[in-house]
Amino acid sequence: MHDVTDETRAIVDLVLDYSRARLLSEDTPLDKPLPPAELTHLAGRTIDERGIGATKALGIFEHVLAPACITTDDPRYLSFIPSAPTKAAAAFDLVVSASALYGGSWLEGAGAVHAENEVLRWLAAEFGLPAGAGGVFVQGGTLGNLSALVAAREAARDRLEAAGAARPDRWRVVCSVEAHSSIASAARVMDVEVVGDDGTLRGDAVRAALDEHGDSVFAVVATAGSTNFGIVHDIASIADAVAGAGAWLHIDGAYGLAAMLSPASRHRFAGVERADSLVVDPHKWLFAPFDACALIYRDPDLGRRAHTQHAEYLDTLTETSDWSPSDFAAHLTRRPRGLPLWFSLATYGAAVYREAITGVVDLAQQIADEIERRDEFVLVRRPQLGVVVFERVGWQKADYDRWSARLLDEQHAFVTPSSHAGRTNARFAILNPRTTYEDLVGILETMR
């Protein structure tokens, strides 16, 4: 399996040929899931003692398994938050795997870590953080948010201990009901309480929570682009409320913070530069492959103190001041998942990223205008970024469900219903620069 032989050469050629064809395909089907029993029947048994061979295994993947996975980079994939990696980023993901790189320590992966850090410094500068800011690429926003909150609580513990104050009976984090589900998940893992208002988080609500709960609040989480609506919280007023209170300001910008790169939407993010930590997911609006979240600390040493793992076999790493990415989040083993973004940025330059994001923001405004012009629709809220939420007059949940299933079954589009305040609605999550106004209008026309 590990030697270079005629067989392994053939396997590599087979896989690279398939990958080249997929990367350069201009008509990849949207595809759709299949029931478990049907997949079992079509795929058959693939794992046995003797193996079925690379040709047969790849054939099963190409003709059975891959078509049962929805194509997330299709321009009419408009559900959840789509993915649209650049061709350079997707291609370089092959290089990362082929190169057997380890991205957990400077000792083992200095070149890869250097490249990742260049991207992190560039992002930090775009977000207005100081020159010393830095962090790590983790698997996704959930792990990024958890890691930031762990560092925030550790910093709060140190602050109270230095002041000779007692720890609270219960730690608390302040956020909004619009915060991503990963914040509540992190709170459960950390066994802390979530408090906050039931709408878009603002400074007055944060100030009230801080007054009520005092030092038990170790972090305040503002959202820079909510998943359901794409709404950016009033970060500046939140930062004002947090200033001087001792709490840590974390910005969850997993989906929306990349829009700061666009001159058209940068103004919405005033206050981000005052964050103690933030996350943004390159596998969303920075056009990198799954799975990558950039976690950036204003003071990386606070992240390092919270997350460095200690063991005898790790002493050779932890006894140095080298920048080891494993020290900055709740992980140890990691692949250098920031490299595809680095390669794409180095290849194309930042300007085309700004243009692509601006184009998506403009498209969201255009289709929102079209929805408002049509009597059969109600726009739930004007879009701030790339998420457009609307209702079809007279429709109930069952109508949306039937419509969504028909769209996918006919391979027209992938648009799943959402809801707000107990009302079912339709939602376009526009992210792919290849999505067109005509695509979106065509979907509206199917809502008869």
Side-chain angles (χ1 to χ4, degrees), residues 328-377:
F328 297 98
H331 62 188
L332 185 61
T333 301
R334 69 177 293 272
R335 72 194 301 266
R337 52 175 48 87
L339 284 184
L341 175 58
W342 165 80
F343 182 74
S344 186
L345 280 167
T347 298
Y348 299 125
V352 293
Y353 279 76
R354 301 185 201 282
E355 293 169 6
I357 294 170
T358 299
V360 170
V361 173
D362 290 345
L363 179 58
Q365 294 295 327
Q366 293 171 29
I367 199 61
D369 291 341
E370 179 64 25
I371 289 168
E372 287 188 317
R373 282 192 289 267
R374 297 186 176 218
D375 293 338
E376 66 269 33
F377 297 111

Coordinates of all heavy atoms in Angstrom, one line a residue, residues 328-377:
F328 N -3.3 27.1 20.2 CA -4.3 28.3 20.2 C -5.7 27.9 20.1 O -6.6 28.7 20.0 CB -3.9 29.2 19.1 CG -2.6 29.8 19.2 CD1 -1.5 29.3 18.6 CD2 -2.4 30.9 20.1 CE1 -0.2 29.8 18.7 CE2 -1.1 31.5 20.2 CZ 0.0 30.9 19.6
A329 N -6.0 26.6 20.2 CA -7.4 26.2 20.2 C -7.6 24.8 20.9 O -6.5 24.2 21.3 CB -7.9 26.1 18.8
A330 N -8.8 24.3 21.0 CA -9.0 23.0 21.6 C -8.8 21.9 20.7 O -9.7 21.2 20.2 CB -10.4 23.0 22.2
H331 N -7.5 21.7 20.3 CA -7.1 20.6 19.4 C -5.6 20.4 19.6 O -4.9 21.1 20.3 CB -7.4 21.1 17.9 CG -6.6 22.3 17.5 ND1 -6.9 22.9 16.3 CD2 -5.7 23.0 18.1 CE1 -6.1 23.9 16.1 NE2 -5.3 24.0 17.2
L332 N -5.1 19.3 19.0 CA -3.7 19.1 19.0 C -3.3 18.7 17.6 O -2.6 19.5 16.9 CB -3.3 17.9 20.0 CG -1.8 17.7 20.1 CD1 -1.1 18.9 20.6 CD2 -1.6 16.5 21.1
T333 N -3.7 17.5 17.1 CA -3.4 17.1 15.7 C -4.2 18.0 14.7 O -5.4 18.2 14.9 CB -3.8 15.7 15.5 OG1 -3.0 14.9 16.4 CG2 -3.5 15.2 14.1
R334 N -3.6 18.5 13.7 CA -4.3 19.3 12.7 C -3.6 19.3 11.4 O -2.3 19.2 11.3 CB -4.5 20.8 13.2 CG -3.2 21.6 13.2 CD -3.4 23.0 13.6 NE -4.1 23.8 12.6 CZ -3.6 24.4 11.6 NH1 -2.3 24.4 11.4 NH2 -4.3 25.1 10.8
R335 N -4.3 19.4 10.3 CA -3.8 19.6 9.0 C -3.7 21.1 8.8 O -4.5 21.8 9.3 CB -4.6 18.9 7.9 CG -5.9 19.5 7.6 CD -6.9 18.6 6.8 NE -6.3 18.2 5.6 CZ -6.5 18.8 4.4 NH1 -7.3 19.9 4.4 NH2 -6.0 18.3 3.3
P336 N -2.8 21.5 7.9 CA -2.7 23.0 7.7 C -3.8 23.4 6.7 O -3.6 23.7 5.5 CB -1.3 23.1 7.0 CG -1.0 21.8 6.4 CD -1.7 20.8 7.3
R337 N -5.0 23.5 7.3 CA -6.1 23.8 6.5 C -6.2 25.2 6.0 O -7.1 25.5 5.1 CB -7.4 23.4 7.3 CG -7.5 24.1 8.6 CD -8.8 23.8 9.4 NE -9.2 22.4 9.4 CZ -8.8 21.5 10.3 NH1 -8.0 21.9 11.3 NH2 -9.2 20.3 10.2
G338 N -5.4 26.1 6.4 CA -5.3 27.4 5.8 C -4.6 27.6 4.5 O -4.7 28.6 3.9
L339 N -3.9 26.5 4.1 CA -3.0 26.6 2.9 C -3.8 26.8 1.6 O -3.4 27.6 0.8 CB -2.1 25.4 2.8 CG -0.9 25.4 3.8 CD1 0.0 24.2 3.5 CD2 -0.1 26.6 3.6
P340 N -4.9 26.1 1.4 CA -5.7 26.4 0.2 C -6.1 27.9 0.0 O -6.0 28.4 -1.1 CB -6.9 25.5 0.3 CG -6.4 24.3 1.1 CD -5.5 25.0 2.2
L341 N -6.5 28.5 1.2 CA -6.8 29.9 1.1 C -5.5 30.8 0.8 O -5.6 31.7 0.0 CB -7.4 30.4 2.4 CG -7.7 31.9 2.5 CD1 -8.6 32.4 1.4 CD2 -8.3 32.3 3.9
W342 N -4.4 30.4 1.4 CA -3.2 31.1 1.2 C -2.8 31.0 -0.3 O -2.5 32.0 -1.0 CB -2.0 30.5 2.0 CG -0.7 30.9 1.5 CD1 -0.1 32.1 1.7 CD2 0.2 30.2 0.6 NE1 1.1 32.1 1.0 CE2 1.3 31.0 0.3 CE3 0.1 28.9 0.0 CZ2 2.3 30.6 -0.5 CZ3 1.1 28.5 -0.8 CH2 2.2 29.3 -1.1
F343 N -2.9 29.8 -0.9 CA -2.6 29.7 -2.3 C -3.5 30.5 -3.2 O -3.0 31.1 -4.2 CB -2.6 28.2 -2.7 CG -2.2 27.9 -4.1 CD1 -0.9 28.0 -4.5 CD2 -3.1 27.6 -5.0 CE1 -0.5 27.7 -5.8 CE2 -2.8 27.3 -6.4 CZ -1.4 27.4 -6.7
S344 N -4.8 30.5 -2.9 CA -5.7 31.2 -3.7 C -5.5 32.7 -3.7 O -5.5 33.4 -4.7 CB -7.1 30.9 -3.3 OG -8.1 31.4 -4.2
L345 N -5.2 33.2 -2.4 CA -5.0 34.6 -2.3 C -3.7 35.0 -3.0 O -3.6 36.1 -3.6 CB -4.9 35.0 -0.8 CG -6.2 35.2 -0.1 CD1 -6.0 35.2 1.5 CD2 -6.9 36.5 -0.5
A346 N -2.7 34.2 -2.8 CA -1.4 34.5 -3.4 C -1.5 34.4 -5.0 O -0.8 35.2 -5.7 CB -0.3 33.5 -3.0
T347 N -2.4 33.6 -5.5 CA -2.5 33.4 -6.9 C -3.3 34.6 -7.5 O -2.9 35.2 -8.5 CB -3.3 32.1 -7.2 OG1 -2.5 31.0 -6.8 CG2 -3.5 31.9 -8.7
Y348 N -4.5 34.9 -6.9 CA -5.4 35.8 -7.5 C -5.3 37.3 -7.0 O -5.6 38.2 -7.7 CB -6.8 35.4 -7.3 CG -7.2 34.0 -7.9 CD1 -7.7 33.0 -7.2 CD2 -7.0 33.8 -9.3 CE1 -8.1 31.8 -7.7 CE2 -7.3 32.5 -9.9 CZ -7.8 31.6 -9.0 OH -8.2 30.3 -9.6
G349 N -4.8 37.4 -5.8 CA -4.8 38.7 -5.1 C -6.1 39.0 -4.4 O -7.1 38.4 -4.7
A350 N -6.0 40.0 -3.5 CA -7.2 40.3 -2.7 C -8.3 41.0 -3.4 O -9.5 40.9 -3.1 CB -6.8 41.1 -1.4
A351 N -7.9 41.8 -4.4 CA -8.9 42.6 -5.1 C -10.0 41.8 -5.7 O -11.2 42.2 -5.6 CB -8.2 43.4 -6.2
V352 N -9.8 40.6 -6.3 CA -10.8 39.9 -6.9 C -11.8 39.3 -5.8 O -13.0 39.1 -6.0 CB -10.3 38.7 -7.8 CG1 -9.6 39.3 -9.0 CG2 -9.4 37.8 -7.0
Y353 N -11.3 39.1 -4.6 CA -12.1 38.7 -3.5 C -13.1 39.8 -3.1 O -14.3 39.6 -2.9 CB -11.3 38.3 -2.3 CG -10.7 36.9 -2.3 CD1 -9.6 36.6 -3.1 CD2 -11.3 35.9 -1.5 CE1 -9.1 35.3 -3.2 CE2 -10.8 34.6 -1.6 CZ -9.7 34.3 -2.4 OH -9.2 33.0 -2.5
R354 N -12.6 41.0 -3.1 CA -13.4 42.2 -2.8 C -14.5 42.3 -3.8 O -15.7 42.6 -3.5 CB -12.6 43.4 -2.7 CG -11.5 43.4 -1.6 CD -10.8 44.8 -1.5 NE -9.5 44.6 -0.9 CZ -9.2 44.5 0.4 NH1 -10.3 44.5 1.2 NH2 -8.0 44.3 0.8
E355 N -14.1 42.1 -5.1 CA -15.1 42.3 -6.2 C -16.2 41.2 -6.1 O -17.4 41.4 -6.3 CB -14.4 42.2 -7.5 CG -13.5 43.4 -7.8 CD -12.6 43.1 -9.0 OE1 -12.7 42.1 -9.7 OE2 -11.7 44.0 -9.2
A356 N -15.8 40.0 -5.8 CA -16.7 38.8 -5.7 C -17.7 39.0 -4.6 O -18.9 38.8 -4.8 CB -16.0 37.5 -5.5
I357 N -17.2 39.4 -3.4 CA -18.1 39.7 -2.3 C -19.1 40.8 -2.6 O -20.3 40.8 -2.3 CB -17.3 39.9 -1.0 CG1 -16.5 38.6 -0.6 CG2 -18.2 40.3 0.1 CD1 -15.5 38.8 0.5
T358 N -18.6 41.9 -3.1 CA -19.4 43.0 -3.5 C -20.5 42.6 -4.5 O -21.7 43.1 -4.3 CB -18.6 44.2 -4.1 OG1 -17.6 44.6 -3.1 CG2 -19.4 45.4 -4.4
G359 N -20.1 41.8 -5.4 CA -21.1 41.4 -6.4 C -22.3 40.6 -5.7 O -23.4 40.7 -6.1
V360 N -22.0 39.8 -4.7 CA -23.0 39.0 -4.1 C -23.9 39.9 -3.2 O -25.1 39.8 -3.2 CB -22.4 37.9 -3.2 CG1 -23.4 37.3 -2.2 CG2 -21.7 36.8 -4.0
V361 N -23.3 40.9 -2.5 CA -24.1 41.8 -1.8 C -25.0 42.6 -2.7 O -26.2 42.8 -2.4 CB -23.2 42.8 -1.0 CG1 -24.0 43.9 -0.3 CG2 -22.4 42.0 0.1
D362 N -24.5 43.0 -3.8 CA -25.4 43.8 -4.8 C -26.5 42.9 -5.3 O -27.6 43.3 -5.5 CB -24.5 44.3 -6.0 CG -23.6 45.4 -5.6 OD1 -23.8 46.0 -4.5 OD2 -22.6 45.7 -6.3
L363 N -26.2 41.6 -5.6 CA -27.2 40.7 -6.1 C -28.3 40.5 -5.1 O -29.5 40.4 -5.5 CB -26.6 39.4 -6.5 CG -27.5 38.3 -7.0 CD1 -28.3 38.8 -8.2 CD2 -26.7 37.0 -7.3
A364 N -28.0 40.4 -3.8 CA -29.0 40.3 -2.8 C -29.9 41.5 -2.8 O -31.2 41.3 -2.6 CB -28.3 40.1 -1.4
Q365 N -29.4 42.6 -3.0 CA -30.3 43.8 -3.0 C -31.2 43.8 -4.3 O -32.3 44.2 -4.2 CB -29.4 45.1 -3.0 CG -28.6 45.3 -1.7 CD -29.5 45.6 -0.5 OE1 -30.6 46.2 -0.6 NE2 -29.0 45.1 0.6
Q366 N -30.6 43.4 -5.4 CA -31.4 43.3 -6.6 C -32.6 42.4 -6.5 O -33.7 42.7 -6.9 CB -30.5 42.9 -7.8 CG -29.4 43.9 -8.1 CD -28.5 43.4 -9.2 OE1 -28.8 42.5 -10.0 NE2 -27.2 43.8 -9.1
I367 N -32.3 41.2 -5.9 CA -33.4 40.2 -5.9 C -34.4 40.6 -4.8 O -35.6 40.3 -4.9 CB -32.9 38.8 -5.7 CG1 -34.0 37.8 -6.0 CG2 -32.4 38.6 -4.2 CD1 -34.5 37.8 -7.5
A368 N -34.0 41.3 -3.7 CA -34.9 41.8 -2.7 C -35.8 42.9 -3.4 O -37.0 42.9 -3.1 CB -34.1 42.5 -1.6
D369 N -35.3 43.7 -4.2 CA -36.1 44.7 -5.0 C -37.2 44.0 -5.8 O -38.3 44.4 -5.8 CB -35.2 45.6 -5.9 CG -34.3 46.5 -5.1 OD1 -34.6 46.8 -3.9 OD2 -33.3 47.0 -5.7
E370 N -36.8 42.9 -6.5 CA -37.7 42.2 -7.3 C -38.8 41.5 -6.5 O -40.0 41.5 -6.9 CB -36.9 41.1 -8.1 CG -37.8 40.2 -9.0 CD -38.4 41.0 -10.1 OE1 -37.9 42.1 -10.5 OE2 -39.5 40.5 -10.6
I371 N -38.4 41.0 -5.3 CA -39.4 40.4 -4.5 C -40.4 41.4 -4.0 O -41.7 41.2 -4.0 CB -38.7 39.7 -3.3 CG1 -38.0 38.5 -3.7 CG2 -39.7 39.4 -2.2 CD1 -37.0 37.9 -2.7
E372 N -40.0 42.6 -3.7 CA -40.9 43.7 -3.2 C -41.8 44.2 -4.3 O -42.9 44.7 -4.0 CB -40.0 44.9 -2.7 CG -39.4 44.6 -1.3 CD -38.8 45.8 -0.7 OE1 -38.1 46.6 -1.4 OE2 -38.9 46.0 0.5
R373 N -41.4 44.0 -5.6 CA -42.2 44.4 -6.7 C -43.4 43.5 -7.0 O -44.3 43.8 -7.7 CB -41.4 44.6 -8.0 CG -40.5 45.9 -8.0 CD -40.0 46.1 -9.4 NE -38.9 45.1 -9.7 CZ -37.6 45.3 -9.6 NH1 -37.2 46.5 -9.0 NH2 -36.7 44.4 -9.9
R374 N -43.3 42.3 -6.4 CA -44.3 41.2 -6.8 C -45.3 41.1 -5.6 O -44.9 40.8 -4.5 CB -43.6 39.9 -7.0 CG -42.6 39.9 -8.2 CD -42.0 38.6 -8.5 NE -41.2 38.6 -9.7 CZ -41.1 37.6 -10.6 NH1 -41.9 36.5 -10.4 NH2 -40.3 37.7 -11.6
D375 N -46.6 41.2 -6.0 CA -47.6 41.2 -5.0 C -47.7 39.8 -4.3 O -48.2 39.8 -3.1 CB -49.0 41.5 -5.6 CG -49.0 42.9 -6.2 OD1 -48.3 43.7 -5.6 OD2 -49.9 43.2 -7.1
E376 N -47.3 38.7 -4.9 CA -47.4 37.4 -4.3 C -46.4 37.1 -3.2 O -46.4 36.1 -2.6 CB -47.4 36.3 -5.3 CG -46.1 36.1 -6.1 CD -46.0 37.0 -7.3 OE1 -46.6 38.1 -7.4 OE2 -45.3 36.5 -8.3
F377 N -45.4 38.0 -3.0 CA -44.4 37.8 -2.0 C -44.3 39.0 -1.0 O -44.8 40.1 -1.3 CB -43.0 37.8 -2.7 CG -42.8 36.6 -3.7 CD1 -42.7 36.8 -5.0 CD2 -42.8 35.3 -3.2 CE1 -42.6 35.8 -5.9 CE2 -42.7 34.2 -4.1 CZ -42.6 34.5 -5.4

